[in-house]
Amino acid sequence: MFGMTLIRPNPAMLLFLLVVSGVYGVALFAGSLLHGRDEAELLVLASLLDMVVLVPAAYYFLLIRRGAASPISLAPVLAISLFLAGQIVPQEFQGGFSWLEWAILPLELGVIAFVVIKARQAIAGQHASDPVERFRHAAQRLAGDSLFARAFSSEVALFYSGLGSWRSQADQPAGYQAFSYHKRNGHGPLVAVLLMLFAIEGFAIHLLLASWSSTFAWIMTLSTIYGAFWVIADFRAMVLRPNLVSMESIRLRSGLRFELSFPRRQLKSISKTAPEAGTQVLNLTLLGTPTHWLHLREPAQAIGPYGFKKTAQVIGLQVDNARAFEALLAPGPDADSR
């Protein structure tokens, strides 16, 4: 009516949310009535079992068994249930039920083992030569195209690039010609300068904030360390993930930031001048100015960190071997000239 489209809710999800609201609503209400009651320990036990057993069980039977959620998503549900139980149950009653933690421990270990086994199977089942692509596809296989899967695969790719990739070789699948892009733009010295700034500014900011709040100072310091680590990992990913061109397709990457693939026939032309305003543009350089602009016949979708997607019809990039890149992608006689 009136041009509006109604979204039909998932009945299983609504039922699960009803269970969660009922369990935690009763637990919060019961927590306020525990003091001085003879049956206090019995009420605590009932609330704990509802929160750490009934809620995960409801999630499994209502969502996972019906295909509305992936099995791996049970792990964060169980972890959140245990955390909330510890926050809701009054502190004076928690000591008497420490045995429940040991009773739940096998379940936690079982879930962790299940997640690890499934993750290894998912990664081993991927045939992509690019580790970042393998991580993303494996996460989607385990948890679907969800925010959790995208965030998890991005973080795994980050730590792999920063810590586990130093003996790896650049990705160059059979049939592709690789074009690096980390030398010409002087990104290596730039990374060194940024790391020096991170160290100097981070130390100064820590001393400044420590006089006001030690906790906030350490939060900012850890954020600075994470930022420095991201810069290192992104540069390492630039080295390992060159742009690739084959007779059929083109794959463009920019470290851990963006990547996109499209059929080679979709390339309309190459220019060295910036596109007109209003064009859907994706600049794959970090701080430099693109030396080449690839104009596509139709918009293509690029994938960024955490699964962020951007549509572009003109892509700006730099390559170290510009002459070979231009010669390989020289438009045919039927292409539009630019």
Side-chain angles (χ1 to χ4, degrees):
M1 182 179 294
F2 305 109
M4 296 179 61
T5 301
L6 297 178
I7 300 176
R8 181 176 297 178
N10 186 341
M13 176 60 75
L14 291 178
L15 183 56
F16 172 69
L17 294 177
L18 181 63
V19 171
V20 170
S21 60
V23 167
Y24 287 102
V26 171
L28 288 171
F29 179 73
S32 62
L33 304 177
L34 292 177
H35 303 283
R37 298 180 65 93
D38 296 334
E39 64 274 19
E41 291 191 0
L42 182 61
L43 290 175
V44 170
L45 178 60
S47 297
L48 281 173
L49 292 177
D50 285 344
M51 288 183 283
V52 302
V53 176
L54 180 58
V55 169
Y59 182 83
Y60 175 80
F61 286 105
L62 293 176
L63 297 178
I64 295 178
R65 285 288 297 271
R66 299 187 180 188
S70 61
I72 196 175
S73 61
L74 180 62
V77 172
L78 179 59
I80 294 173
S81 299
L82 292 171
F83 173 77
L84 292 178
Q87 301 299 313
I88 293 176
V89 175
Q91 189 69 32
E92 60 267 26
F93 293 99
Q94 294 185 14
F97 293 95
S98 58
W99 58 270
L100 186 60
E101 299 179 3
W102 293 100
I104 297 176
L105 182 60
L107 177 61
E108 295 176 335
L109 294 177
V111 172
I112 294 173
F114 172 80
V115 170
V116 171
I117 292 173
K118 287 295 184 180
R120 292 188 63 179
Q121 291 176 347
I123 294 175
Q126 303 301 319
H127 302 289
S129 58
D130 178 20
V132 175
E133 186 177 352
R134 291 206 305 268
F135 296 147
R136 181 171 62 250
H137 291 169
Q140 291 175 350
R141 179 180 172 185
L142 288 171
D145 189 16
S146 60
L147 177 60
F148 170 78
R150 296 193 294 268
F152 182 74
S153 63
S154 293
E155 290 300 312
V156 171
L158 173 69
F159 281 91
Y160 168 80
S161 300
L163 298 176
S165 67
W166 293 96
R167 294 186 179 182
S168 302
Q169 300 296 321
D171 174 40
Q172 186 174 355
Y176 284 89
Q177 184 169 343
F179 292 92
S180 62
Y181 51 91
H182 64 281
K183 301 175 183 177
R184 180 172 179 173
N185 59 11
H187 200 78
L190 176 62
V191 169
V193 172
L194 288 176
L195 293 178
M196 292 179 60
L197 291 176
F198 274 123
I200 296 173
E201 296 295 331
F203 180 72
I205 292 176
H206 181 89
L207 293 179
L208 179 63
L209 294 177
S211 59
W212 173 63
S213 172
S214 176
T215 301
F216 190 69
W218 278 110
I219 291 175
M220 292 300 296
T221 299
L222 292 176
S223 300
T224 302
I225 294 174
Y226 181 86
F229 179 73
W230 186 93
V231 170
I232 296 174
D234 181 64
F235 176 69
R236 185 59 184 161
M238 292 175 64
V239 176
L240 296 177
R241 310 181 74 210
N243 295 317
L244 301 172
V245 180
S246 72
M247 297 301 296
E248 293 80 22
S249 64
I250 299 175
R251 299 172 62 183
L252 305 177
R253 285 91 73 93
S254 59
L256 295 174
R257 281 161 280 127
F258 277 100
E259 61 181 275
L260 71 160
S261 301
F262 51 88
R264 185 165 173 171
R265 63 178 179 274
Q266 192 173 339
L267 177 63
K268 180 180 180 181
S269 61
I270 305 177
S271 70
K272 294 187 177 181
T273 57
E276 300 176 355
T279 308
Q280 292 178 305
V281 175
L282 174 63
N283 186 353
L284 295 182
T285 63
L286 181 60
L287 297 175
T289 301
T291 57
H292 297 83
W293 296 92
L294 274 59
H295 300 257
L296 307 183
R297 301 181 186 279
E298 298 177 356
Q301 191 173 70
I303 301 176
Y306 298 96
F308 175 78
K309 297 179 181 179
K310 182 176 182 178
T311 301
Q313 194 164 358
V314 181
I315 299 98
L317 71 157
Q318 292 181 347
V319 291
D320 296 332
N321 193 345
R323 183 173 300 179
F325 185 74
E326 294 168 2
L328 184 60
L329 293 182
D334 60 335
D336 298 336
S337 60
R338 180 171 290 271

